[in-house]
PDB file of all heavy atoms in Angstrom:
ATOM      1  N   PHE A  58      -7.760   9.690  -8.101  1.00  0.00           N
ATOM      2  CA  PHE A  58      -8.730   8.635  -7.808  1.00  0.00           C
ATOM      3  C   PHE A  58      -9.565   9.034  -6.602  1.00  0.00           C
ATOM      4  O   PHE A  58      -9.177   9.889  -5.800  1.00  0.00           O
ATOM      5  CB  PHE A  58      -8.042   7.278  -7.554  1.00  0.00           C
ATOM      6  CG  PHE A  58      -7.233   7.225  -6.276  1.00  0.00           C
ATOM      7  CD1 PHE A  58      -7.842   7.049  -5.031  1.00  0.00           C
ATOM      8  CD2 PHE A  58      -5.852   7.318  -6.311  1.00  0.00           C
ATOM      9  CE1 PHE A  58      -7.108   6.979  -3.856  1.00  0.00           C
ATOM     10  CE2 PHE A  58      -5.096   7.257  -5.137  1.00  0.00           C
ATOM     11  CZ  PHE A  58      -5.730   7.091  -3.919  1.00  0.00           C
ATOM     12  N   PHE A  59     -10.731   8.390  -6.478  1.00  0.00           N
ATOM     13  CA  PHE A  59     -11.545   8.495  -5.267  1.00  0.00           C
ATOM     14  C   PHE A  59     -11.807   7.089  -4.747  1.00  0.00           C
ATOM     15  O   PHE A  59     -12.309   6.243  -5.473  1.00  0.00           O
ATOM     16  CB  PHE A  59     -12.874   9.218  -5.516  1.00  0.00           C
ATOM     17  CG  PHE A  59     -13.844   9.099  -4.351  1.00  0.00           C
ATOM     18  CD1 PHE A  59     -13.521   9.686  -3.134  1.00  0.00           C
ATOM     19  CD2 PHE A  59     -15.012   8.364  -4.466  1.00  0.00           C
ATOM     20  CE1 PHE A  59     -14.383   9.554  -2.049  1.00  0.00           C
ATOM     21  CE2 PHE A  59     -15.885   8.236  -3.389  1.00  0.00           C
ATOM     22  CZ  PHE A  59     -15.570   8.839  -2.177  1.00  0.00           C
ATOM     23  N   ASN A  60     -11.424   6.838  -3.511  1.00  0.00           N
ATOM     24  CA  ASN A  60     -11.654   5.539  -2.866  1.00  0.00           C
ATOM     25  C   ASN A  60     -12.833   5.670  -1.922  1.00  0.00           C
ATOM     26  O   ASN A  60     -12.751   6.349  -0.892  1.00  0.00           O
ATOM     27  CB  ASN A  60     -10.392   5.120  -2.095  1.00  0.00           C
ATOM     28  CG  ASN A  60     -10.516   3.752  -1.455  1.00  0.00           C
ATOM     29  OD1 ASN A  60     -11.580   3.372  -0.977  1.00  0.00           O
ATOM     30  ND2 ASN A  60      -9.428   3.004  -1.431  1.00  0.00           N
ATOM     31  N   HIS A  61     -13.962   5.040  -2.287  1.00  0.00           N
ATOM     32  CA  HIS A  61     -15.171   5.219  -1.487  1.00  0.00           C
ATOM     33  C   HIS A  61     -15.128   4.449  -0.174  1.00  0.00           C
ATOM     34  O   HIS A  61     -15.872   4.770   0.765  1.00  0.00           O
ATOM     35  CB  HIS A  61     -16.413   4.804  -2.297  1.00  0.00           C
ATOM     36  CG  HIS A  61     -16.489   3.348  -2.593  1.00  0.00           C
ATOM     37  ND1 HIS A  61     -15.948   2.799  -3.733  1.00  0.00           N
ATOM     38  CD2 HIS A  61     -17.067   2.308  -1.919  1.00  0.00           C
ATOM     39  CE1 HIS A  61     -16.180   1.506  -3.755  1.00  0.00           C
ATOM     40  NE2 HIS A  61     -16.842   1.171  -2.665  1.00  0.00           N
ATOM     41  N   HIS A  62     -14.281   3.423  -0.068  1.00  0.00           N
ATOM     42  CA  HIS A  62     -14.143   2.712   1.202  1.00  0.00           C
ATOM     43  C   HIS A  62     -13.531   3.610   2.265  1.00  0.00           C
ATOM     44  O   HIS A  62     -13.911   3.571   3.434  1.00  0.00           O
ATOM     45  CB  HIS A  62     -13.274   1.468   1.026  1.00  0.00           C
ATOM     46  CG  HIS A  62     -13.903   0.384   0.217  1.00  0.00           C
ATOM     47  ND1 HIS A  62     -15.061  -0.258   0.597  1.00  0.00           N
ATOM     48  CD2 HIS A  62     -13.525  -0.182  -0.951  1.00  0.00           C
ATOM     49  CE1 HIS A  62     -15.373  -1.160  -0.305  1.00  0.00           C
ATOM     50  NE2 HIS A  62     -14.456  -1.136  -1.257  1.00  0.00           N
ATOM     51  N   LEU A  63     -12.571   4.424   1.850  1.00  0.00           N
ATOM     52  CA  LEU A  63     -11.839   5.268   2.791  1.00  0.00           C
ATOM     53  C   LEU A  63     -12.222   6.735   2.714  1.00  0.00           C
ATOM     54  O   LEU A  63     -11.660   7.551   3.448  1.00  0.00           O
ATOM     55  CB  LEU A  63     -10.327   5.127   2.541  1.00  0.00           C
ATOM     56  CG  LEU A  63      -9.741   3.727   2.666  1.00  0.00           C
ATOM     57  CD1 LEU A  63      -8.283   3.716   2.229  1.00  0.00           C
ATOM     58  CD2 LEU A  63      -9.869   3.222   4.108  1.00  0.00           C
ATOM     59  N   TYR A  64     -13.161   7.096   1.815  1.00  0.00           N
ATOM     60  CA  TYR A  64     -13.497   8.503   1.561  1.00  0.00           C
ATOM     61  C   TYR A  64     -12.201   9.285   1.340  1.00  0.00           C
ATOM     62  O   TYR A  64     -11.911  10.280   2.008  1.00  0.00           O
ATOM     63  CB  TYR A  64     -14.279   9.100   2.736  1.00  0.00           C
ATOM     64  CG  TYR A  64     -15.669   8.514   2.876  1.00  0.00           C
ATOM     65  CD1 TYR A  64     -15.980   7.651   3.933  1.00  0.00           C
ATOM     66  CD2 TYR A  64     -16.672   8.800   1.955  1.00  0.00           C
ATOM     67  CE1 TYR A  64     -17.238   7.111   4.060  1.00  0.00           C
ATOM     68  CE2 TYR A  64     -17.935   8.260   2.082  1.00  0.00           C
ATOM     69  CZ  TYR A  64     -18.216   7.408   3.144  1.00  0.00           C
ATOM     70  OH  TYR A  64     -19.469   6.865   3.264  1.00  0.00           O
ATOM     71  N   GLN A  65     -11.433   8.819   0.360  1.00  0.00           N
ATOM     72  CA  GLN A  65     -10.090   9.337   0.132  1.00  0.00           C
ATOM     73  C   GLN A  65      -9.920   9.745  -1.330  1.00  0.00           C
ATOM     74  O   GLN A  65     -10.288   9.000  -2.235  1.00  0.00           O
ATOM     75  CB  GLN A  65      -9.072   8.253   0.489  1.00  0.00           C
ATOM     76  CG  GLN A  65      -7.615   8.655   0.364  1.00  0.00           C
ATOM     77  CD  GLN A  65      -6.701   7.490   0.739  1.00  0.00           C
ATOM     78  OE1 GLN A  65      -6.436   6.620  -0.086  1.00  0.00           O
ATOM     79  NE2 GLN A  65      -6.267   7.458   1.981  1.00  0.00           N
ATOM     80  N   ILE A  66      -9.378  10.954  -1.524  1.00  0.00           N
ATOM     81  CA  ILE A  66      -9.035  11.422  -2.855  1.00  0.00           C
ATOM     82  C   ILE A  66      -7.524  11.397  -2.993  1.00  0.00           C
ATOM     83  O   ILE A  66      -6.796  11.906  -2.148  1.00  0.00           O
ATOM     84  CB  ILE A  66      -9.586  12.846  -3.099  1.00  0.00           C
ATOM     85  CG1 ILE A  66     -11.110  12.794  -3.308  1.00  0.00           C
ATOM     86  CG2 ILE A  66      -8.911  13.494  -4.315  1.00  0.00           C
ATOM     87  CD1 ILE A  66     -11.769  14.148  -3.446  1.00  0.00           C
ATOM     88  N   GLY A  67      -7.055  10.790  -4.084  1.00  0.00           N
ATOM     89  CA  GLY A  67      -5.628  10.721  -4.354  1.00  0.00           C
ATOM     90  C   GLY A  67      -5.259  11.615  -5.514  1.00  0.00           C
ATOM     91  O   GLY A  67      -5.978  11.682  -6.521  1.00  0.00           O
ATOM     92  N   LEU A  68      -4.117  12.295  -5.398  1.00  0.00           N
ATOM     93  CA  LEU A  68      -3.619  13.175  -6.452  1.00  0.00           C
ATOM     94  C   LEU A  68      -2.189  12.783  -6.788  1.00  0.00           C
ATOM     95  O   LEU A  68      -1.364  12.561  -5.894  1.00  0.00           O
ATOM     96  CB  LEU A  68      -3.671  14.636  -5.987  1.00  0.00           C
ATOM     97  CG  LEU A  68      -5.083  15.164  -5.665  1.00  0.00           C
ATOM     98  CD1 LEU A  68      -5.006  16.490  -4.937  1.00  0.00           C
ATOM     99  CD2 LEU A  68      -5.910  15.296  -6.930  1.00  0.00           C
ATOM    100  N   ASN A  69      -1.906  12.684  -8.082  1.00  0.00           N
ATOM    101  CA  ASN A  69      -0.607  12.191  -8.531  1.00  0.00           C
ATOM    102  C   ASN A  69       0.521  13.147  -8.154  1.00  0.00           C
ATOM    103  O   ASN A  69       0.384  14.368  -8.256  1.00  0.00           O
ATOM    104  CB  ASN A  69      -0.630  12.006 -10.053  1.00  0.00           C
ATOM    105  CG  ASN A  69       0.532  11.157 -10.558  1.00  0.00           C
ATOM    106  OD1 ASN A  69       1.681  11.438 -10.304  1.00  0.00           O
ATOM    107  ND2 ASN A  69       0.186  10.112 -11.303  1.00  0.00           N
ATOM    108  N   LYS A  70       1.643  12.574  -7.754  1.00  0.00           N
ATOM    109  CA  LYS A  70       2.823  13.366  -7.391  1.00  0.00           C
ATOM    110  C   LYS A  70       3.293  14.244  -8.549  1.00  0.00           C
ATOM    111  O   LYS A  70       3.870  15.316  -8.332  1.00  0.00           O
ATOM    112  CB  LYS A  70       3.936  12.424  -6.954  1.00  0.00           C
ATOM    113  CG  LYS A  70       5.245  13.104  -6.557  1.00  0.00           C
ATOM    114  CD  LYS A  70       6.287  12.071  -6.235  1.00  0.00           C
ATOM    115  CE  LYS A  70       7.665  12.705  -6.143  1.00  0.00           C
ATOM    116  NZ  LYS A  70       8.714  11.688  -5.951  1.00  0.00           N
TER     117      LYS A  70
END
Side-chain angles (χ1 to χ4, degrees):
F58 68 79
F59 169 65
N60 183 323
H61 68 270
H62 291 298
L63 301 174
Y64 292 109
Q65 183 180 83
I66 286 176
L68 298 168
N69 196 305
K70 180 184 167 185

